[in-house]
Each structure stands twice: as structure tokens, then as C-alpha cells.
């Protein structure tokens, strides 16, 4: 898109050096070391700040807490380093994605959204976007996609939540840009260590930091990232005007948690691989999906595109009653929504409004020892039979 400024390869290498994932996570967004100062400064709690009597807010970076907070800026620098762009954080993932849609779309625009992605986004499109005069089209993550002629924005979620389908982002970006549209990618399931959509042709990345990015099940967070100065200005103006900002303590907690992202994802992926092997061998489990399995429909694209596979898988136990028996029998699998945390969790998605079968389960692997988790899931499935 000619109107957007993207980083040159030289600028990208300078701003985002090619260290390993663990190194980048540990050091992302940290200020320059000062003797006697902490590695990560504590949260700055402030609504107003002292102003220069003559110059007012022009004299310093902090004038008022809604647009200005140094703790939030450090987190944005950290997430931006991992995603490879400039970042703005929001109070929740839903605030980030609805903010993106409302800031980018006007009456008469057309948007393409995932038919199999996060259900509240589709509900928001039906309830709010369509009411504002935006034409809403839905397409499955794996396709087929409609013509993009006349489309303003295409949003995809890959891997999709909860079905875990994957779309070829470079190929899709080529089609979207050829039609003059923007491509936004929900990167919640993959995280920036699993894929960097901006490197694959996306104009914008949006994600819920509530999930694996921060991974401790103790805060709500969202973000939007881009390499376009114009799009960043649009998102920043919307975020500041609507006040959808996270508090300083949540921003600090999120930044602290980023340091262990590589370690957490490594164990979660290993656990997902082990559980996928277990579930694939059971006749009482159907519909298993995990894009890391060679016989999964998403594997051909996922194996090329993802740098690591997610710790989330899905399967069907046949009925709501059997899901309840499974969760009641499990000792290491908590019945809870959301995903990406330290604890293994599972939930029956139909109860949240997803268009899934009554026995469809999304299971998010935690960081428990793999042998313990496999034994627990095996025993719970046996007990639920």
C-alpha cells in the first residue's frame, strides 16, 4: 500500500536484532541500564503529572494518564520488538480488535471477518458494525474467500480459535493488497514467537495479550501493531479518545510476564504434541485438531508458516455430558475458558456461543510435566467413558 510506510530491511535489523526468542523475550522493552536502577522499573501510577508552567504538556512526554504513561510505553516497546512493528496496547483483546474495526471502517465500507474465529467479534460485527452502515462478509479461515473488490479491510485469525485452521498469509496478503484492501491478522493463538504476520505481508496485527503472551491468567490486555505510521496514528487517536487503556499495574505485570514467554511456549507445545498423540489413538475421541500433526488439514500451511505450534488443541467427546464427566474426573485439567496460561484448562465451546458440536472441547496445555498431564488426561477419559 503506497500510503503506508514500512520499515526497510536495514531499519528492521537495527530496531529488531536477530537474537534468539528467549533472549528477545528477556530483554524486550527494557530501558538502558543505570547503576542502582531495577531491570524493569515499577509501575507509574498517575492521572495528572506536573506540567511546565509556561510550556504545559509540550515540555515533557507525560501530561495526563490516559494518553501518557511510561510503564505502558515500555510494554508497547517490548511487544513491538517481538511483533516487528510499532504497538499500542489496549485494556483487553476485545477492546483492541473492536477499536481497530471502528477506527478503520466507515459507513459504506466492506469488511471480511472470519466465520470460524472468536465469536464475540462476529457478534460485534452483527450488532454494531452493520448498524453503523458497514457491510460485513464472513469467510472460513481456510477459505474459500470472496472477491476482495471494494473491500476496505480483511481480518483473519490464524490459527483460528477454536477450530485451529490456518491460512497462507503471504498468498492472502497478495490478493488483499491487489484489491487495494488492508489485511489485519489476529495473532492471539500463535503469539509473535509463533509467527510475525507483519513479516508475512499483513498491514496490522491484533491480539489478546490476556492469553499466552502474558500467560499467568491474572490480567486482561490487548494490542494492535503495525509498520504504517498512518495506521498507527489512526489507532493511537482512537485509543486515546476512547480511553481503552490498560492500567499501569496490568501493563507492568504483562511486561514482567513476557520474559518467560519462550520457556512457557516450549513446554505448552511439547504438552500439546504429547496429548495429540494420545487423543489420536483413542477410538472414543473424534475431530482432533492440532496443526502440528502431519495428518491435520492445516499442517501443510502451518509447517511452512508457523515458527512453533500452539499449545492449544481441540477435539470432540460426543456430548456435553461426557465433557462434564471428563472435566470432573481430571485433576490437572481445570474447567475454565481462555487459553495460554500456566495451568492446563479446557472448556466446551458451545456454551459460549461458538458454532460447535455439543461435545466440542478446546484444551489449552499448561506447563505441567508432560508425563503427568498425559496420565491425567488418559485417566479422565477412561473415567468419562
Amino acid at each position: 500500500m503506497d500510503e503506508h510506510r514500512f520499515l526497510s530491511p536495514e531499519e528492521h535489523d537495527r530496531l529488531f536484532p536477530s537474537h534468539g526468542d528467549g533472549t528477545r523475550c528477556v530483554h524486550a522493552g527494557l530501558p538502558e541500564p543505570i547503576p542502582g536502577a531495577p531491570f524493569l522499573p515499577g509501575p507509574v501510577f498517575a492521572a495528572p503529572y506536573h506540567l511546565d508552567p509556561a510550556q504545559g504538556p509540550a515540555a515533557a512526554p507525560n501530561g495526563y494518564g490516559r494518553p501518557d504513561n511510561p510503564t505502558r510505553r515500555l510494554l508497547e516497546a517490548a511487544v513491538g520488538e517481538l511483533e516487528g512493528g510499532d504497538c499500542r496496547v489496549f485494556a483487553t483483546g476485545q477492546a483492541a480488535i473492536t477499536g481497530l474495526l471502528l477506527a478503520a471502517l466507515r459507513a459504506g465500507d466492506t469488511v471480511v471477518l472470519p466465520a470460524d474465529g472468536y465469536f464475540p467479534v462476529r457478534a460485534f460485527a452483527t450488532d454494531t458494525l452493520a448498524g453503523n452502515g458497514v457491510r460485513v462478509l464472513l469467510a472460513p479461515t481456510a477459505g474459500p474467500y470472496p472477491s476482495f473488490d471494494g473491500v476496505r479491510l480483511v481480518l483473519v485469525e490464524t490459527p483460528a480459535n477454536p477450530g485451529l485452521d490456518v491460512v497462507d498469509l503471504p498468498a492472502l496478503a497478495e490478493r488483499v493488497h491487489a484489491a487495494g484492501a488492508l489485511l489485519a491478522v489476529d495473532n492471539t493463538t500463535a503469539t509473535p514467537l509463533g509467527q510475525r504476520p507483519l513479516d508475512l505481508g499483513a498491514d496490522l496485527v491484533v491480539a489478546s495479550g490476556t492469553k499466552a503472551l502474558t500467560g499467568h491468567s491474572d490480567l486482561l490486555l490487548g494490542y494492535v501493531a503495525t509498520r504504517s505510521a498512518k495506521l498507527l496514528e489512526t489507532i493511537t487517536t482512537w485509543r486515546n479518545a476512547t480511553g481503552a487503556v490498560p492500567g499501569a499495574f496490568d501493563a507492568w505485570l504483562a511486561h514482567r510476564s513476557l520474559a518467560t514467554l519462550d520457556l512457557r511456549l516450549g513446554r505448552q507445545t511439547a504438552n500439546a504434541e504429547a496429548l495429540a498423540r494420545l487423543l489420536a489413538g483413542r477410538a472414543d475421541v473424534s475431530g482432533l485438531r492440532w496443526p502440528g500433526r502431519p495428518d491435520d488439514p492445516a499442517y501443510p500451511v502451518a509447517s511452512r508458516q508457523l515458527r512453533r505450534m500452539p499449545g492449544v488443541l481441540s477435539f470432540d467427546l460426543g456430548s456435553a455430558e461426557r465433557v462434564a464427566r471428563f472435566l470432573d474426573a481430571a485433576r490437572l485439567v481445570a474447567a475454565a475458558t481462555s487459553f495460554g496460561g500456566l495451568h492446563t484448562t479446557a472448556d466446551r465451546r458451545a456454551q459460549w456461543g461458538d458454532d460447535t458440536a455439543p461435545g466440542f472441547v478446546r484444551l489449552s496445555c499448561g506447563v505441567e510435566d508432560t508425563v503427568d498431564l498425559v496420565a491425567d488426561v488418559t485417566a479422565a477419559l477412561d473415567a468419562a467413558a
Side-chain angles (χ1 to χ4, degrees):
M1 307 292 291
D2 293 339
E3 64 193 57
H4 308 317
R5 180 184 179 275
F6 295 93
L7 295 178
S8 68
E10 294 76 17
E11 289 174 315
H12 186 275
D13 291 342
R14 176 175 56 82
L15 293 173
F16 311 109
S18 55
H19 292 128
D21 286 348
T23 301
R24 294 191 302 120
C25 289
V26 168
H27 292 274
L30 296 184
E32 291 296 322
I34 299 174
F39 288 85
L40 176 63
V44 175
F45 300 109
Y49 302 85
H50 289 291
L51 297 177
D52 182 278
Q55 298 183 59
N62 298 317
Y64 183 63
R66 175 162 37 83
D68 307 324
N69 184 277
T71 307
R72 192 162 64 230
R73 288 196 297 271
L74 288 178
L75 174 62
E76 290 174 340
V79 177
E81 288 178 27
L82 297 181
E83 284 286 5
D86 291 306
C87 171
R88 292 294 177 264
V89 293
F90 285 73
T92 67
Q94 187 72 350
I97 199 165
T98 57
L100 165 61
L101 293 172
L102 289 169
L105 299 170
R106 298 290 182 269
D109 286 344
T110 298
V111 62
V112 178
L113 300 178
D116 53 345
Y118 188 48
F119 172 73
V121 175
R122 295 197 301 279
F124 172 78
T126 301
D127 296 341
T128 302
L129 291 182
N132 288 347
V134 175
R135 180 174 176 239
V136 178
L137 302 178
L138 300 178
T141 297
Y145 284 86
S147 168
F148 296 139
D149 290 342
V151 170
R152 166 63 178 163
L153 175 70
V154 177
L155 170 68
V156 295
E157 182 179 5
T158 181
N161 167 36
L164 300 176
D165 269 325
V166 174
V167 64
D168 185 329
L169 286 178
L172 182 64
E174 184 176 359
R175 281 191 58 198
V176 170
H177 292 157
L182 297 169
L183 176 62
V185 176
D186 187 326
N187 205 28
T188 301
T189 305
T191 82
L193 298 193
Q195 69 185 0
R196 300 216 307 184
L198 298 178
D199 291 345
L200 300 172
D203 301 285
L204 298 133
V205 175
V206 62
S208 169
T210 306
K211 311 297 193 295
L213 187 81
T214 58
H216 287 71
S217 306
D218 55 7
L219 61 88
L220 300 174
L221 189 80
Y223 69 86
V224 178
T226 183
R227 293 175 185 168
S228 161
K230 182 177 180 180
L231 290 174
L232 183 70
E233 181 182 6
T234 299
I235 295 299
T236 304
T237 299
W238 175 270
R239 196 273 309 267
N240 292 347
T242 58
V245 295
F249 190 62
D250 280 359
W252 182 84
L253 279 177
H255 199 166
R256 180 210 60 174
S257 301
L258 281 181
T260 59
L261 177 59
D262 175 57
L263 299 174
R264 291 185 279 107
L265 291 181
R267 175 60 67 85
Q268 289 167 345
T269 298
N271 283 344
E273 182 177 13
L275 286 187
R277 286 197 302 269
L278 165 69
L279 296 171
R282 293 190 63 110
D284 57 351
V285 175
S286 63
L288 172 63
R289 294 298 308 271
W290 187 61
R293 294 182 67 230
D295 55 352
D296 189 275
Y299 182 80
V301 176
S303 60
R304 297 194 311 267
Q305 185 164 286
L306 294 175
R307 298 176 62 242
R308 61 176 79 197
M309 297 296 168
V312 182
L313 41 79
S314 63
F315 52 92
D316 198 322
L317 293 184
S319 69
E321 293 75 20
R322 186 161 182 246
V323 174
R325 294 198 301 272
F326 165 71
L327 292 173
D328 188 58
R331 294 295 173 262
L332 298 181
V333 182
T337 192
S338 195
F339 58 90
L342 299 174
H343 311 87
T344 296
T345 62
D347 66 340
R348 193 174 64 83
R349 291 309 301 168
Q351 66 190 340
W352 298 101
D354 283 328
D355 184 18
T356 56
F360 179 95
V361 175
R362 181 186 67 193
L363 189 146
S364 169
C365 295
V367 299
E368 297 90 352
D369 287 304
T370 303
V371 64
D372 295 334
L373 185 58
V374 169
D376 186 67
V377 170
T378 300
L381 288 171
D382 291 342

